[in-house]
Amino acid sequence: MSPVASERPSLIVVAGRPGAGKGTQCARIAAEVSAAHLSLGDALRQHVARGTPLGLEVRPFVDAGRLVPDRFALDLIDAQLERERAPMVLLDGFPRNLAQAEALECRQPGAVSLAVLLAVPLTTVAERLRSRGRPDDGEPTLRERFASFEHDTKPMLTWYERRGSLVVIDADQPHGDVTVAVKALLARSHTNHRHPATALGRPAAGSSLFSR
Ligand code: ADP
């Protein structure tokens, strides 16, 4: 392997509707294995809270529960990945639509080794979000974020599925059990980069977890 290629981290895309546990799981896993956790939502919220020029630009989108324009998301991720030295990076909430996924693939061909969907039914996330209370967890904003998952993120997940990169994890279980499942997945995909979903005996196609 060339020195450049060996320095490039393997990227794990972590997706799921609001309240699926992306942030919780990424933080837990990054603390336990040699992986970094990049949360685009957290980075955007920090910019908004500090009132940076980027924060002022993206605030209306974040407040409304809509995706910020792709160029902001891509620039932020580029800057964060450039600094990253960990062998594996958990991308929490990025990419989130087809255009972002294609742009990432174009900039870092083959770097995404796995896309993980944390699947939870709406009834469970509604329950979880009620007890959370983040500023963008109000009713109209949440409705937009759920809609964005349906319209923007699901087509992207289908794209990863067609590439053989998507694995669906049942996240309607206690956090500890989900962490164990994702860690097992990462360990197994590490030994079988080409067909992670097949290696698990769990191709995502047609999964009821994906569609519900
Ligand atoms: P959730 O998944 O619960 O909606 P996040 O913290 O991942 O929470 O995202 C919060 C907000 O940040 C989103 O509603 C959106 O406005 C913005 N955001 C996060 N990731 C992206 C992205 N990849 N592209 C565009 N906007 C994003």
Side-chain angles (χ1 to χ4, degrees), residues 18 22 40-41 44-45 61-62 65-68 73 93-94 96 100 132 134 136 145:
K22 299 183 294 290
L40 195 63
L44 289 167
R45 273 188 292 279
F61 296 92
V62 175
R66 291 167 48 207
L67 295 188
V68 308
F94 178 89
R96 233 170 153 111
Q100 292 178 7
R132 192 165 78 173
R134 221 170 61 187
D136 60 343
R145 284 160 56 211

Side-chain angles (χ1 to χ4, degrees), residues 175-190:
H175 284 318
D177 295 347
V178 179
T179 307
V180 168
V182 178
K183 276 175 63 184
L185 170 64
L186 296 182
R188 290 167 79 167
S189 80
H190 191 67

Side-chain angles (χ1 to χ4, degrees), residues 56-145:
L56 295 176
E57 294 244 38
V58 298
R59 178 168 195 165
F61 296 92
V62 175
D63 282 352
R66 291 167 48 207
L67 295 188
V68 308
D70 291 338
R71 67 180 191 282
F72 296 130
L74 285 161
D75 284 354
L76 256 185
I77 282 292
D78 265 355
Q80 294 193 327
L81 283 179
E82 210 157 277
R83 289 196 299 268
E84 206 41 71
R85 293 293 169 265
M88 183 189 283
V89 177
L90 305 172
L91 292 177
D92 167 4
F94 178 89
R96 233 170 153 111
N97 62 20
L98 197 49
Q100 292 178 7
E102 286 175 341
L104 178 63
E105 187 57 31
C106 189
R107 289 167 193 217
Q108 307 221 18
V112 173
S113 51
L114 206 58
V116 181
L117 169 62
L118 299 179
V120 273
L122 279 167
T123 43
T124 303
V125 291
E127 191 67 30
R128 287 183 187 172
L129 290 167
R130 251 196 294 279
S131 58
R132 192 165 78 173
R134 221 170 61 187
D136 60 343
D137 279 350
E139 190 67 41
T141 306
L142 255 185
R143 206 171 306 122
E144 279 296 323
R145 284 160 56 211

